[in-house]
Amino acid sequence: MLLAVVLAVPGDREHTASRLRVVRVLQYNLCGAAAVCPGNAGGSGRGTSVARLVREAVRFRPDVVTVNEICLTQYAALKQHLARAGWRMDGTYASSQDNVPACGTTGRFGTAVLSRGNVPDGQQDYRPFVHTGGETYTNGGRTVRVRRGLLCADTRFDGERLVACTAHTYSKASEQLREIRDWTAGFPKSVPVVLAGDLNLPPDAPALSWLTGRFAEADGEPGEATADGRKIDYVFATRRHFTVADGDARWFRESDHALLEGRFGLRRGR
């Protein structure tokens, strides 16, 4: 769904409205398999974060959805439930680890990006971070190296190319934000980029400046907590392509993170 954004620019209101189209973004850390969110336990039925995200997507009608802490099985169910609810989205998924028992037989657990536009098969763009902070995860007697990374979907909005990305970064490896900056800078300058995720760092963290120079944030209440009394989840879009309309953080009992909404005006004639 395309909407016009009207900004309060004296004498130029109609011109501004004609040159902006609203891109709607939802970002959610599902807490899909963590012990602190026992209602999920890798499931996708009533009372889970997956069901909540479907309801909020039908209400908000996003063009892009980015998700962290989601099992592969939950990702497949999410797409099915969205289609049945009348808001079909295509997407891509990447695992950071494969030893999470609540995630079923594969144990796969990670992140996802979904789009109202098509996401071409076989063109997943997942870039594991070089800086890992030595992070490991032990479960069921098996220890694995956690391979977080930047996941991007090469998709389209209003007939034009759009890249949508997510990351769930490690708080003890802030260099991962520099990697995100460098990798997203490699996209053609003409291509707008949306970036959202759980970055595990507060707004005053020096590493966050590696992103805010290039990306504008949709933030309804600056500094508003998104998890554990801190702001660590974000919705960004490239400054050269977008203007910020607004943002919001909404809390639901299914997850220990807020669900973030962001609206950006995409400039025409870039």
Side-chain angles (χ1 to χ4, degrees):
M1 182 174 70
L2 302 182
L3 300 174
V5 175
V6 179
L7 304 179
V9 181
D12 197 29
R13 183 173 296 237
E14 292 184 2
H15 177 70
T16 300
S18 68
R19 292 181 62 83
L20 292 176
R21 299 153 292 166
V22 171
V23 176
R24 295 171 176 250
V25 182
L26 283 182
Q27 153 62 26
Y28 203 22
N29 180 321
L30 288 186
C31 191
V36 295
C37 301
N40 290 319
S44 57
R46 182 177 300 179
T48 68
S49 291
V50 172
R52 171 63 66 185
L53 182 54
V54 171
R55 288 196 294 274
E56 293 306 305
V58 170
R59 176 193 61 82
F60 186 67
R61 301 169 72 81
D63 303 289
V64 170
V65 174
T66 58
V67 191
N68 309 133
E69 293 194 15
I70 181 172
C71 300
L72 176 60
T73 51
Q74 290 173 317
Y75 167 69
L78 175 60
K79 291 203 298 181
Q80 291 175 355
H81 294 338
L82 284 169
R84 290 171 185 165
W87 197 252
R88 186 203 70 82
M89 301 190 81
D90 199 2
T92 186
Y93 177 90
S95 297
S96 60
Q97 57 211 81
D98 64 356
N99 68 333
V100 180
C103 289
T105 55
T106 69
R108 293 183 63 185
F109 177 79
T111 59
V113 178
L114 297 97
S115 169
R116 283 285 284 172
N118 289 334
V119 179
D121 291 338
Q123 293 190 23
Q124 180 198 65
D125 191 354
Y126 183 61
R127 309 185 186 194
F129 294 126
V130 174
H131 299 87
T132 67
E135 185 184 12
T136 61
Y137 180 78
T138 301
N139 205 306
R142 178 168 170 252
T143 298
V144 300
R145 182 174 58 170
V146 178
R147 294 293 290 164
R148 300 176 189 255
L150 178 69
L151 174 65
C152 296
D154 198 332
T155 185
R156 303 192 69 82
F157 173 78
D158 194 21
E160 298 181 17
R161 186 181 177 192
L162 172 72
V163 172
C165 302
T166 192
H168 183 193
T169 57
Y170 185 36
S171 60
K172 297 180 181 179
S174 59
E175 282 284 340
Q176 291 175 353
L177 273 71
R178 186 195 296 270
E179 293 186 57
I180 293 172
R181 181 201 64 184
D182 293 346
W183 286 338
T184 56
F187 293 116
K189 291 184 178 180
S190 61
V191 176
V193 179
V194 170
L195 168 67
D198 175 1
L199 302 183
N200 272 314
L201 291 172
D204 60 354
L208 204 65
S209 65
W210 291 330
L211 299 181
T212 53
R214 183 168 184 247
F215 291 93
E217 183 187 1
D219 189 0
E221 296 183 32
E224 181 180 11
T226 64
D228 194 27
R230 302 182 303 147
K231 177 180 175 62
I232 57 175
D233 303 84
Y234 300 86
V235 179
F236 293 117
T238 41
R239 294 182 182 277
R240 69 180 292 124
H241 307 105
F242 295 94
T243 184
V244 176
D246 58 34
D248 195 15
R250 296 167 58 85
W251 284 95
F252 303 100
R253 63 178 177 82
E254 293 86 356
S255 177
D256 60 347
H257 286 250
L259 185 150
L260 303 188
E261 301 173 356
R263 300 174 184 84
F264 298 94
L266 178 60
R267 299 183 181 92
R268 295 183 186 272
R270 299 184 306 276

